[in-house]
Amino acid sequence: MIISSIGGLVLSLAGLSIGWMIGTLLIAAFLSFKRPAFLKIPREQKGLPPYWLRIGQCILAIELGQKINLSVVHTFKDHWLVILVMLFLSIIFALISGLVLWKFSQTDMITSFFGTSPGGLSAMPSIAEEVGANTIVVTIIQTMRVFLVVLTIPLFASTWSHHPANHVIANSDVVSSGGVSGFEWSYLLWTLILAFGVWGGYYIGKHLKFPAPWLVGGMLGVGCLQTLGSTFAGHDMIAWWPHSAIILSQIFIASSIGSRFYKEMLTGIGKTMWVSLLTTIGLIVSMLVCAYFVSIITGISFITSMLAFAPGGIAEMATTSAVLDADSTFVVVVQVLRVLVVCIILPTLFRGLKQWEVRKMTRAQSRISA
């Protein structure tokens, strides 16, 4: 992670707002792919231990939870139809990508659909295994999609927004940047309380089967505590939360994603990789166009709309929105809604397709035998 973060430092010094995320991701992927001898990475190790990703998500949950407000509710109330249409359009485009992958590669139908569904890198392979899909291919295609989205969408959004690299994100940065005189123990105490909110939110989210419970549940837990505390105090409660916290979150999350990329993933699936690459690029472009029209119709900023509907991971898009000062809560809510819809509706649809495919093959074998 330390070596990978050097890439993030270089890109951040070059003026790229999301440089810590992209630079760290690229170096981590390169190190994981090449596995240089001096790192002494065991051959059986596939990625960093999962607790690093969870720590990054916890930090991000506190960052985002402090920003929860009623603007998201008002936005959904005014534009719920457009948002729901966009969510279903993103799923339809993903299914079209899966259909193309199935028709023009050697991948079977059910594996193709699971591979292109934007339901999350952790969720889709586990669900795919339950219905007999090729989990290795699903993982590879899902990983490629996340890589492409994380490398292209934040870069495009950062260029579009023209935010400086040292942009201050949280209002508590004003406190933390004021030196010793600006620090009070009450700020640190409130930070510890918010950390407890992440822990409590995680267990609630895990019980309710939220996607990415450390991030989603933790963010909701922090948001509830922040709202209740500010209401009882009669003013906004401020935590000690330096700008370096979001940098650490980017490093932990990007390193974890990059470390999942290893050479064995690419063995024997050359054509599938190329077809998947083209369909993923088409999916990203189509969602960018749709996000642009949503921003025009609803008045939501294009950056927020782009990150909300991008077919990437919840944590990755949430991190980008926090760095670029987009509406982070709206981005997380839309991303979570899509993951929920994908995980609830599509597996049932895919099981039906699997049964249809099996019956079709059985009838074909019967005709051949006859």
Side-chain angles (χ1 to χ4, degrees), residues 176-302:
S176 61
S177 63
V180 178
S181 60
F183 179 83
E184 293 182 9
W185 285 106
S186 61
Y187 300 144
L188 181 58
L189 177 61
W190 187 243
T191 303
L192 295 176
I193 293 175
L194 294 183
F196 176 78
V198 173
W199 179 76
Y202 159 72
Y203 279 101
I204 295 175
K206 184 179 180 181
H207 178 72
L208 297 176
K209 300 187 183 302
F210 284 175
W214 278 110
L215 174 60
V216 179
M219 183 194 71
L220 294 177
V222 170
C224 291
L225 284 180
Q226 183 73 28
T227 303
L228 291 174
S230 300
T231 301
F232 283 113
H235 59 82
D236 288 336
M237 297 295 292
I238 298 177
W240 180 73
W241 198 248
H243 177 60
S244 55
I246 193 65
I247 294 177
L248 281 177
S249 175
Q250 292 180 72
I251 291 173
F252 292 155
I253 292 174
S255 297
S256 298
I257 296 173
S259 67
R260 297 172 183 170
F261 188 75
Y262 48 94
K263 190 177 299 183
E264 291 77 8
M265 295 174 67
L266 308 179
T267 304
I269 57 167
K271 186 175 181 180
T272 301
M273 288 283 291
W274 282 110
V275 177
S276 177
L277 175 64
L278 294 176
T279 56
T280 302
I281 292 174
L283 177 61
I284 294 173
V285 172
S286 63
M287 291 313 302
L288 282 176
V289 173
C290 291
Y292 177 72
F293 283 108
V294 168
S295 68
I296 294 177
I297 296 171
T298 64
I300 300 171
S301 71
F302 180 48

Side-chain angles (χ1 to χ4, degrees), residues 26-37:
L26 288 173
I27 299 300
F30 176 79
L31 293 175
S32 180
F33 185 82
K34 289 295 186 180
R35 293 179 178 264

